Amino acid sequence: MLEQLAPPAEDPILSLTVAYRQDERDDKLDLGIGVYRTADGHTPVMAAVREAAIAIAAQQDSKSYVGLAGNEAFNQAMITLLLTDTSALARTAAIQTPGASGALRMLGELIAYARPGATVWLSRPSYVNHQPVMEACGLEVREYPYFDPATKQVDEPSMLAAIAKLGPNDVLLLHGCCHNPTGADISWNSWQKIAAMAQQQGFLPFVDLAYQGFGDGLDADAAGLRLLADTLPEVLVAVSCSKNFGLYRERTGAALIIGETLEHAQRAKGHMQRIARATYTMPPDHGAAIVAHILADTQLQQSWLTELNAMQQRIVRLREQLAGAFREASGSERFHYFQHHRGMFSVTGLTPEQTAALRDQHGVYVVGGGRVNVAGLSENRIDKLVSAFLAVGA
Ligand code: LMR
């Protein structure tokens, strides 16, 4: 059986991590996979996470099963964190999932079950895992125009014109904040237009919110989602705690279903539990138990928020410093977009040849398409990145 298998395609992000680890150069620089790093290049365990993990280890007296929907205190805390002050709070159900990719898969399977033949629309470009996950659910995938490579901003007129043609058989996948890979987010004005169009045309918004707190702050980053949640009968949400709680390896996420009524949302939740049972049965508990513990404790929640805000502000500063260093070294404004983008990533528009030269000649690893993880950069490596970019002709 196995001899007939062709070699599998490599994952464009995770394969970089492997190549980087094998690279023996001392001055190599990993700006591939999306992890936050401190000034000394370390991805820390947040103080509140460490404290919660210690408390859980001391208090937990059983490792018995939790349930198909995972940790319900965590699910409720995620609903509150995302949908604060919206009417959707009373008509939303959630299941805990293994990361946001797990949530994308569970929600994709739900769409395929509830609306066979639906088309899922992805931004061009989008997170590399969106298309494979949606296609694995048997859904048709198409793209709407999003990023303008010339301005490095969202081409909002083209995006809105494409969305204006969607109807009840369409699902519109939106990045809640900190667009991956581009770093270019849609304006408040566009969120309002999308909400109005969804109301009139009947397409279903599906929001992927993997970086809440990394863009402009916890509430600001959820503003677009909250607008949709408040005004529309149905919205799907995939959420991750990988970045804002630094729980990457614990695979902690949630799939939220906002329904016209709570009964609709709970029925959909029941179907997702059935789908989860046929996939992985139930998610691992540890990360969700930590998040639930933090969000139920005022002092720990404050500690988490303070640390998260410090991370967000440092990313903004890194972006300013990077744009400034490029301005000085290149004598031009063509890298100013680093300053305007939000979240971990910026798409730089490097060609495949320039990306390969960055890696081979300078030991700088960025994702294909030229995505740079700004949040993985240390202040003292900015000059290396800038000179490598200019040396490959960026
Ligand atoms: C990334 O885009 O680098 C992260 O979201 C990691 C992942 O799961 O692909």
Side-chain angles (χ1 to χ4, degrees):
M1 178 185 82
L2 305 181
E3 74 284 353
Q4 58 175 345
L5 292 176
E10 286 193 321
D11 182 89
I13 296 178
L14 293 162
S15 60
L16 272 185
T17 308
V18 175
Y20 178 81
R21 283 193 185 131
Q22 287 166 353
D23 190 326
E24 287 176 356
R25 285 171 285 186
D26 287 338
D27 66 341
K28 61 186 178 176
L29 183 54
D30 179 11
L31 303 175
I33 195 161
V35 294
Y36 175 88
R37 295 197 188 88
T38 57
D40 56 11
H42 183 60
T43 300
V45 177
M46 294 176 84
V49 166
R50 185 179 297 284
E51 208 175 306
I54 291 168
I56 290 166
Q59 290 161 16
Q60 201 169 55
D61 59 2
S62 174
K63 289 285 185 194
S64 178
Y65 293 114
V66 176
L68 289 176
N71 184 318
E72 292 287 16
F74 166 82
N75 293 337
Q76 198 48 53
M78 284 294 107
I79 292 173
T80 309
L81 193 65
L82 269 81
L83 301 175
T84 307
D85 294 334
T86 70
S87 61
L89 275 176
R91 50 187 177 88
T92 302
I95 64 164
Q96 183 204 326
T97 55
S101 287
L104 289 167
R105 182 64 187 258
M106 289 300 105
L107 291 165
E109 295 286 356
L110 180 72
I111 296 165
Y113 180 72
R115 181 67 59 85
T119 300
V120 178
W121 291 81
L122 306 181
S123 61
R124 183 168 57 237
S126 200
Y127 170 45
V128 292
N129 213 16
H130 278 157
Q131 184 176 347
V133 171
M134 292 306 138
E135 286 180 347
C137 299
L139 292 161
E140 191 189 335
V141 173
R142 296 186 64 183
E143 289 183 323
Y144 56 92
Y146 186 82
F147 189 63
D148 179 347
T151 63
K152 303 281 196 295
Q153 294 300 321
V154 182
D155 177 357
E156 296 200 313
S158 302
M159 173 185 78
L160 293 171
I163 296 174
K165 295 188 191 130
L166 303 187
N169 210 33
D170 294 306
V171 177
L172 177 64
L173 206 154
L174 297 157
H175 298 228
C177 67
C178 308
H179 185 269
N180 180 5
T182 69
D185 284 337
I186 58 181
S187 66
W188 180 243
N189 191 29
S190 282
W191 280 109
Q192 288 175 310
K193 289 190 170 140
I194 290 168
M197 286 193 280
Q199 208 155 28
Q200 266 175 14
Q201 299 160 220
F203 61 82
L204 175 66
F206 181 172
V207 181
D208 184 353
L209 194 60
Y211 303 91
Q212 191 189 6
F214 267 43
D216 291 309
L218 211 52
D219 287 322
D221 289 348
L225 165 66
R226 288 176 187 169
L227 176 69
L228 301 183
D230 227 3
T231 47
L232 299 174
E234 293 182 354
V235 182
L236 305 179
V237 194
V239 54
S240 172
C241 299
S242 293
K243 328 285 170 172
N244 57 6
F245 284 87
L247 283 168
Y248 309 89
R249 68 177 62 168
E250 304 297 355
R251 310 309 301 138
T252 307
L256 274 62
I257 313 114
I258 301 167
E260 193 161 10
T261 64
L262 183 60
E263 195 198 338
H264 287 185
Q266 275 170 343
R267 209 179 304 154
K269 173 174 173 170
H271 279 287
M272 285 207 299
Q273 289 179 214
R274 175 182 61 71
I275 296 163
R277 178 64 165 144
T279 311
Y280 53 77
T281 291
M282 64 186 74
D285 181 58
H286 190 58
I290 287 171
V291 172
H293 189 92
I294 292 171
L295 295 180
D297 180 313
T298 317
Q299 177 251 319
L300 279 185
Q301 188 171 357
Q302 194 50 53
S303 153
W304 165 68
L305 200 54
T306 304
E307 195 169 348
L308 176 62
N309 286 339
M311 288 156 83
Q312 180 263 334
Q313 281 156 25
R314 184 165 162 268
I315 295 171
V316 170
R317 277 200 308 279
L318 273 167
R319 288 187 166 284
E320 287 165 2
Q321 287 169 24
L322 191 54
F326 266 123
R327 189 176 302 121
E328 201 164 305
S330 70
S332 86
E333 286 293 335
R334 67 182 192 278
F335 298 97
H336 74 283
Y337 58 84
F338 276 113
Q339 193 165 334
H340 300 305
H341 288 166
R342 279 293 170 269
M344 293 186 138
F345 309 119
S346 277
V347 156
T348 59
L350 290 185
T351 63
E353 293 73 29
Q354 288 171 322
T355 306
L358 263 190
R359 187 189 56 230
D360 298 343
Q361 293 164 24
H362 303 276
V364 176
Y365 287 72
V366 304
V367 177
R371 188 191 82 171
V372 170
N373 174 24
V374 179
L377 187 61
S378 304
E379 287 77 354
N380 62 5
R381 309 299 307 277
I382 287 177
D383 287 346
K384 175 177 172 75
L385 177 65
V386 169
S387 57
F389 255 64
L390 296 180
V392 302

